[in-house]
Amino acid sequence: QLRLVESGGGLVQPGGSLRLSCAASGSNLVDYAVGWFRQAPGKEREGVSCISRNGYIIYVAESVKGRFTISRDDAKNTVYLQMNSLKPEDTALYYCAAARSGPYSTSASARFYDYWGQGTQVTASS
């Protein structure tokens, strides 16, 4: 059974940076596509960025394009989300999710994913 644990969230001033980590245990993350999602109070869960098993297919939401970068290190069983130039509207609970899939598959839809972490809070505020 795959288990995901997010870390790296926190309070940062607008314009600052954070790097989120999604550490997997119980199974090899190399067999899974991984996505980062976020949910702010009163809003729907939003797909932020996702990456295929082989790393060749990457989706980035328009709202974070040019500021957020997803990457994976299968040797460490970890996926990262580097977040730069953070804005107050990026404030949310950030989740990572994983799905067994083909090497080139990924999706920004939450329904694609079978395993979810508990989330890490990101707050961009002065």
Side-chain angles (χ1 to χ4, degrees):
Q1 181 82 3
L2 183 70
R3 182 170 176 258
L4 303 173
V5 178
E6 303 94 336
S7 62
L11 174 63
V12 63
Q13 289 192 343
S17 297
L18 287 172
R19 187 176 79 157
L20 304 184
S21 298
C22 173
S25 61
S27 189
N28 291 323
L29 203 57
V30 69
D31 295 328
Y32 296 81
V34 178
W36 283 98
F37 292 78
R38 66 185 182 186
Q39 188 164 20
K43 294 189 176 181
E44 292 187 358
R45 189 170 296 191
E46 172 191 17
V48 175
S49 188
C50 53
I51 188 167
S52 61
R53 272 177 53 192
N54 60 15
Y56 291 170
I57 307 300
I58 290 176
Y59 163 83
V60 182
E62 200 62 39
S63 57
V64 304
K65 198 164 286 184
R67 301 188 296 122
F68 290 14
T69 303
I70 191 171
S71 62
R72 61 189 302 155
D73 185 340
D74 291 327
K76 294 184 178 179
N77 236 21
T78 302
V79 172
Y80 304 97
L81 184 68
Q82 178 67 44
M83 306 187 297
N84 299 328
S85 302
L86 281 159
K87 303 176 180 180
E89 52 263 44
D90 295 319
T91 296
L93 189 59
Y94 283 70
Y95 300 89
C96 68
R100 281 189 179 272
S101 67
Y104 292 93
S105 297
T106 191
S107 176
S109 171
R111 290 176 292 180
F112 180 78
Y113 297 91
D114 303 307
Y115 302 94
W116 291 82
Q118 293 300 305
T120 185
Q121 178 67 37
V122 171
T123 302
S125 173
S126 55

